[in-house]
Amino acid sequence: MTPEVGADTSVRVDVWLWRARFFRTRALSTAYVRKSGLRLSHDGQTRRTSKPGATLVVGDIVTFGKGADILTIEVLDLGARRGPAEEARTLYRPLESPT
């Protein structure tokens, strides 16, 4: 499937974390990425980033700490808005259960 003309094929990591409802506000999401950072895996390459403007594409793997848990999730969709929780859960797939 080819992307539509004008369709977004990537999104900022802080925006995506907010849309996927891992953080209550975008400001909290941005502050978390700046302070704690996260790991992004894309095409078999993993890198650590603390830049909220880092881009995500469908298929990327994101690993970050949330409370006492370390979450590893696969990006399934970028989303167009911050919708209800049911919609947010369709944006990702957990790869490991929290410990």
Side-chain angles (χ1 to χ4, degrees):
M1 178 189 314
T2 59
E4 296 177 20
V5 175
D8 292 332
T9 58
S10 65
V11 68
R12 290 174 53 113
V13 68
D14 62 333
V15 171
W16 188 85
L17 289 168
W18 171 68
R19 286 179 183 170
R21 294 185 161 265
F22 289 105
F23 295 93
R24 185 175 287 236
T25 66
R26 183 168 170 205
L28 289 174
S29 175
T30 301
Y32 175 85
V33 174
R34 278 195 183 124
K35 181 179 178 190
S36 302
L38 45 85
R39 284 194 177 96
L40 297 176
S41 296
H42 177 74
D43 289 336
Q45 295 182 336
T46 301
R47 66 185 170 98
R48 182 167 167 77
T49 186
S50 59
K51 296 182 179 182
T55 58
L56 281 179
V57 297
V58 172
D60 283 357
I61 307 295
V62 181
T63 304
F64 64 101
K66 185 75 170 153
D69 298 326
I70 296 183
L71 303 175
T72 302
I73 54 176
E74 178 182 5
V75 177
L76 299 177
D77 192 7
L78 301 178
R81 66 184 184 118
R82 179 180 164 96
E86 296 81 25
E87 183 179 320
R89 282 191 292 271
T90 66
L91 300 180
Y92 63 91
R93 177 177 62 99
L95 296 179
E96 299 174 1
S97 60
T99 56

